């Protein structure tokens, strides 16, 4: 940093206002992340997390509030009552056979009418969804259990809650870095900082997917299902994504073929 001179000619250390602003933004972001979030020791994963919502009740309320919109966006509830009953039965068995039953979450399993989008997802608090497009690709009940077990893993892993806190952290740091890197002429610095932050958030998303795979294997074994069915699910996902895949580092999900090895490791671990 170049020296500056004050009004009476004495040498001093100057600091560009842009640097001060950047440090304030980044410092405030870090302070909020550690003072405005909740530290939580997760009994399912063994990890210490920073959470945007302190209680399970807040997660449940958010999930229940968001569920109707998600259902509408995915074509509504399936009209196949027999298929919905199977989803309900398998989901209930997974919850009741595992420690998930001891959580306060309100697990509800929704079969969605969408026959085009191969997808399953979970909202905070226990609302779990699977599309008919994915459901109709399963060869057996164990594969359905594998997907539902994976989504239960997201709920008890409190992944959405943690990602909300993490996203705010990286967005704030990116904003501060963008100010720091700005040359006053364009926003290239902000774009670079934003891209790096986005890639970090996606990395956390991929880690969550692998963690949920492991929890899904654990839940399958505890509920008496065949955990190798998860490998079959990965084959289904890989086949359905052909022609539309992108590099893994640009995705929130690991490539299905790269998840198989980790699933095999989890099977060996939990079968012991």
């Amino acid at each position: 940093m170049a020296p500056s001179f004050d009004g009476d000619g004495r040498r001093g250390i100057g600091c560009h206002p842009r640097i001060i602003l950047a440090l304030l933004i980044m410092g405030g972001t870090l302070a909020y992340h550690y003072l405005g979030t909740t530290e939580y020791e997760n009994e399912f994963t063994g990890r210490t997390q920073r959470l945007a919502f302190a209680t399970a009740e807040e997660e449940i309320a958010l999930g229940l509030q968001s569920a109707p919109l998600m259902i509408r966006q995915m074509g509504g509830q399936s009209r196949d009552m027999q298929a919905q009953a199977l989803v309900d039965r398998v989901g209930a068995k997974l919850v009741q056979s595992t420690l998930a039953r001891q959580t306060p979450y309100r697990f509800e399993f929704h079969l969605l009418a969408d026959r085009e989008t191969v997808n399953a997802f979970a909202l905070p608090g226990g609302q779990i969804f699977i599309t008919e497009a994915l459901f109709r690709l399963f060869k057996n009940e164990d594969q359905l259990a594998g997907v539902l077990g994976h989504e239960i893993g997201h709920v008890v892993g409190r992944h959405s809650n943690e990602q909300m806190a993490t996203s705010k952290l990286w967005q704030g740091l990116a904003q501060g870095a963008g100010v720091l890197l700005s040359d006053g002429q364009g926003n290239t610095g902000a774009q670079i900082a934003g891209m790096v932050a986005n890639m970090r958030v996606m990395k956390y998303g991929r880690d969550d997917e692998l963690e949920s795979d492991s929890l899904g294997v654990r839940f399958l074994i505890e509920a008496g299902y065949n955990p190798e069915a998860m490998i079959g699910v990965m084959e289904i996902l890989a086949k359905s994504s052909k022609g539309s895949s992108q590099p893994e580092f640009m995705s929130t999900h690991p490539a299905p073929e790269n998840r198989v090895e980790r699933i095999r490791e989890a099977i060996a671990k939990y079968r012991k």
Side-chain angles (χ1 to χ4, degrees), residues 183-248:
D183 58 5
Q185 303 298 320
N187 63 347
T188 302
Q191 290 177 340
I192 294 173
M195 182 177 68
V196 172
N198 191 44
M199 291 175 67
R200 288 299 304 169
V201 171
M202 287 190 289
K203 172 65 167 58
Y204 287 120
R206 293 193 297 273
D207 289 345
D208 287 347
E209 292 302 318
L210 294 174
E211 191 168 78
S212 283
D213 283 345
S214 180
L215 288 171
V217 166
R218 170 182 164 184
F219 296 153
L220 285 178
I221 292 174
E222 292 176 352
Y225 286 109
N226 176 16
E228 274 84 5
M230 291 278 284
I231 297 173
V233 171
M234 293 304 112
E235 293 170 352
I236 289 172
L237 295 178
K239 185 176 181 180
S240 67
S241 65
K242 290 298 183 184
S244 61
S245 60
Q246 58 182 335
E248 184 174 287

Side-chain angles (χ1 to χ4, degrees), residues 57-68:
E57 287 70 27
E58 291 175 282
E59 291 179 279
I60 293 169
L62 178 61
L64 290 174
Q65 181 180 1
S66 304

